[in-house]
Amino acid sequence: MPKVNIRMGDIQWPATCCRCGSEEFSYRTRTEKVVMRSVVAATEARAVTLVNVPVCDRCDNARRYWFAGASAAAAIGVLFLAFTANHDTYLTPDLGMFVLAVFLALIGTTKSPIRIIQFDEKINSLKIQIYNHSVAAEMLRREAGRTDLAGHAEYLDIQQDKQRKQDREVRLTVRTLCILFFISGLYLVFTLGETTGYAVMILSAAFCLPFEITHRAKK
């Protein structure tokens, strides 16, 4: 999902719901706890607030619906556990309902209109995950044209350079893993005579090829 770096100040959102793009929306205030630093078991978080975020009623309530479904599934699982005596098999109704509850809860965590991922207090900047691609693209365009912040052009250049470095690191990691798996497949086939090596080579190529195609398309 698109992640956009936005500096605090006069943030102007497009006049559509930031999640679904609907023109029927209300400006809302969103507050989320963002992890500032974490050392072993100690975690320091800070509440970060954004005002005038355009969100429609359906997207604002979407998480509640999924979490309510997860709670209902868990409650049904508890009832099955309490009243079902036959647990001779692994695939019991209570287990299925508990798995469904976890699945629905996980989906619910992705239904937030936006998600504040990071806050840099030194430069007063946010990294926000915007699920709507068109809204994210518009926010990037607006962020590039902001005039309410001193040194904003230099800030954008720094952020773009950081993103390019991160992209290079990801590409290097993926390519290294693919090469290592492909070499291990060759070793299995030609040294040990194991036919499973062909599957390893095919899987490594299948994993790497879509990534490379996506990378070339962005150039």
Side-chain angles (χ1 to χ4, degrees):
M1 296 297 174
K3 297 178 179 63
V4 180
N5 289 304
I6 298 176
R7 295 183 76 181
M8 298 291 281
D10 186 19
I11 301 174
Q12 297 293 327
W13 292 84
T16 59
C17 173
C18 62
R19 174 82 195 208
C20 68
S22 171
E23 295 183 358
E24 300 290 333
F25 66 89
S26 300
Y27 287 106
R28 307 174 193 265
T29 298
R30 294 197 58 81
T31 300
E32 296 185 25
K33 284 189 175 182
V34 181
V35 175
M36 302 298 293
R37 55 185 63 87
S38 180
V39 181
V40 192
T43 300
E44 179 183 344
R46 173 173 175 174
V48 177
T49 299
L50 285 177
V51 297
N52 295 330
V53 180
V55 185
C56 69
D57 291 338
R58 183 172 65 87
C59 292
D60 191 50
N61 294 319
R63 288 181 302 168
R64 299 185 182 95
Y65 298 145
W66 287 97
F67 291 147
S71 300
I76 295 172
V78 171
L79 291 176
F80 274 124
L81 188 63
F83 295 104
T84 303
N86 183 15
H87 296 291
D88 295 335
T89 61
Y90 290 106
L91 299 176
T92 56
D94 52 288
L95 178 60
M97 295 308 298
F98 289 139
V99 171
L100 178 61
V102 172
F103 179 71
L104 293 175
L106 288 174
I107 294 178
T109 61
T110 68
K111 294 302 179 179
S112 174
I114 60 171
R115 179 167 162 255
I116 303 174
I117 302 173
Q118 182 180 344
F119 175 63
D120 190 334
E121 54 189 346
K122 293 181 179 179
I123 55 177
N124 209 24
S125 170
L126 298 171
K127 177 175 284 188
I128 303 176
Q129 186 169 30
I130 302 176
Y131 297 92
N132 188 299
H133 289 265
S134 60
V135 173
E138 177 62 18
M139 289 301 292
L140 282 172
R141 188 190 69 79
R142 294 187 178 204
E143 186 69 8
R146 286 179 66 176
T147 58
D148 61 306
L149 296 168
H152 191 56
E154 292 80 0
Y155 161 79
L156 291 176
D157 290 338
I158 293 172
Q159 295 302 315
Q160 290 176 358
D161 185 58
K162 287 182 178 178
Q163 188 62 50
R164 284 193 292 267
K165 289 180 179 178
Q166 291 176 357
D167 292 342
R168 284 197 297 268
E169 291 174 358
V170 171
R171 290 198 302 271
L172 178 61
T173 301
V174 171
R175 288 169 179 170
T176 301
L177 290 174
C178 289
I179 291 172
L180 289 175
F181 276 107
F182 193 85
I183 291 174
S184 66
L186 291 174
Y187 177 79
L188 288 172
V189 172
F190 294 105
T191 303
L192 302 180
E194 296 286 344
T195 56
T196 53
Y198 291 110
V200 173
M201 288 188 288
I202 292 172
L203 288 174
S204 63
F207 176 77
C208 189
L209 188 59
F211 178 83
E212 290 294 334
I213 292 174
T214 303
H215 169 60
R216 298 296 176 185
K218 290 181 179 178
K219 285 189 172 182

